[in-house]
Amino acid sequence: MKFPHYFKAISLICVFSTPLMWGRPPVVPDYFRNSEDFELASKFLDHYHKLLEHSGIESVSDTIRQTRESGLKYKVGNDSRFKSLTGEEEFSLSFSEGLYSAQWRRDGKLLVECCFPSRIDLLTFSNKVELEDMMLSKLKNQDIKNEIGSVPQEDMSKLRRIDYSPFYVHDLGYYITPRMSHQEVYQPLDSISNVCELLVNSPKYPLECISNYMLTGYSPEPIAINLNMDRYGYQTESVTIDFGKLFRILSSEGSVPYWGVEEYDGDMVKGLYVWLNRFGGFAHIITIDIPMKTLAASSKANARMHSYVRLDNLKSLFEEFQ
């Protein structure tokens, strides 16, 4: 499988208009619910506001300077005006093509407008090593358990029928190339109801089943993964983790998985697993080899992970994977 060196244009707009008390607004759009997407940007603004309040401290001044160098810019107002905001102002936040724009108004008058890129290091005031440390800590956390529940079901009306096929799909589109997609495959539960069940245990359709594991986190049996995490400075950390646990860790960030098969010889599936977080401006890139017998026995899958890769750095990384 070849991954071309171009990127699908992203243009997502989301606007909030509600009083901001230097925290999360009470009303959050559906696509932000149950994720940290908006939380990242609001916490960043809150943190920066507090830094300005203590800007007489030299170390804090250095942080403010570094934040500006990372891309925070004012379209209206300046640090002094931003520092004077009380949190009672009307607040809105928009996101488009990797850039946040925040506005504060009082009585309809625009007081402050600033913009900043969706970069996870900027939004969390953390460098690459610190981000990798946090991810490694999550991967090693033994408190997160894998619980295999019942096979996921979905109402047929919410799915798209595949022509000339018995299957339906929940389709979230693709990333970079149509072969790197998010298409969950379902089959009718019976001939009477309008309920579909996730395809998870079909020897006739092994690639569809594995794709469903990757995209939903559900597998009929536990799947253990030997995961090598490539770190900054050419360091590598290894951890053995259950696939279900890995899925929950990555999805808890608000990231969305995309899956593409690179090779399949009947015994082994080699694929590229991308967890995309547009609002944080990063992706986790995982190459993974899954023996088919893993699905029925205790053998392990092997994977290599690059975490918190900035989206503007993905081109060089995909060149490496070709």
Side-chain angles (χ1 to χ4, degrees), residues 33 55 65 88 90 117 123 133 141 191 209 257 260 304:
R33 204 178 307 279
S55 58
R65 175 181 54 80
E88 297 289 348
E90 181 183 334
L123 297 175
D133 284 343
N141 182 2
S191 59
C209 291
R304 174 187 174 198

Side-chain angles (χ1 to χ4, degrees), residues 18-46:
T18 181
L20 180 69
M21 298 300 293
W22 297 112
R24 187 168 187 156
V27 179
V28 182
D30 289 341
Y31 42 78
F32 273 118
R33 204 178 307 279
N34 300 323
S35 76
E36 298 177 0
D37 298 328
F38 177 68
E39 198 84 27
L40 281 172
S42 64
K43 283 184 176 179
F44 165 74
L45 292 168
D46 186 24

Side-chain angles (χ1 to χ4, degrees), residues 174-193:
Y174 65 88
Y175 183 61
I176 299 179
T177 166
R179 296 183 68 182
M180 176 64 61
S181 65
H182 186 120
Q183 290 190 339
E184 303 165 15
V185 181
Y186 288 77
Q187 59 185 346
L189 185 61
D190 51 50
S191 59
I192 302 175
S193 69

